Amino acid sequence: MGGSDEYSDLYRQYLPRILNYIRLRVDGEDLAQDLTAAVFERAISRQHTLRHPEAFGAWLFRIARTTVAGYYRRRRPAVPLDLAEEQQAPDPSPEELLVRRQEVARMLRALSRLSEREQEIIRLKFAGGLGNQEIGRVLRLRPGNVAVILYRALRKLRAHLEQG
């Protein structure tokens, strides 16, 4: 990578995507922000290991996955789904909060019925905003395989949601 201006541009581009991805993996905004900062610290200290600058996004998401996994190995088990439904958005009405909680709980229950790989592809796609090629780089899969897995996972998710 080039100078600090280039890194600043990449930071601004990827910060919201990495933060959203990590938010779906951990419990609490402060923790998500701390882990996101750790991802960028590692990226800065290891930027010399990046062989192909065009793969920066996938490389950064791989660091994010490793950072979150390391956090859980050191700290505690994954957040139970029943705690996730208690998450509150700022300033919703009581009715909106109830509907959101019910929808989040319903979606998380349906997601939990998918394999870990399917869940990870969905998180990278929708929370991380990555394309199939980038997801393939992160997970070391071919983009075509990512597309097939994503398609099947979304079909399963839809079926689970329709079942109620």
Side-chain angles (χ1 to χ4, degrees), residues 51-71:
R51 291 184 218 138
H52 305 287
E54 68 277 3
F56 178 80
W59 177 74
L60 194 60
F61 273 92
R62 205 169 305 131
I63 292 172
R65 289 183 76 222
T66 303
T67 301
V68 171
Y71 166 77

Side-chain angles (χ1 to χ4, degrees), residues 3-68:
S4 63
D5 287 341
E6 182 181 358
Y7 192 79
S8 295
D9 290 342
L10 288 169
Y11 177 81
R12 280 191 292 279
Q13 178 185 352
Y14 282 97
L15 174 66
R17 295 166 67 187
I18 294 292
L19 181 58
N20 282 337
Y21 169 75
I22 292 176
R23 280 177 178 144
L24 287 178
R25 303 290 314 268
V26 301
D27 184 28
E29 183 65 18
D30 290 341
L31 177 58
Q33 289 181 11
D34 290 347
L35 291 175
T36 300
V39 167
F40 282 95
E41 288 173 16
R42 286 188 180 127
I44 290 168
S45 69
R46 296 180 182 158
Q47 66 185 351
H48 65 279
T49 66
L50 180 62
R51 291 184 218 138
H52 305 287
E54 68 277 3
F56 178 80
W59 177 74
L60 194 60
F61 273 92
R62 205 169 305 131
I63 292 172
R65 289 183 76 222
T66 303
T67 301
V68 171

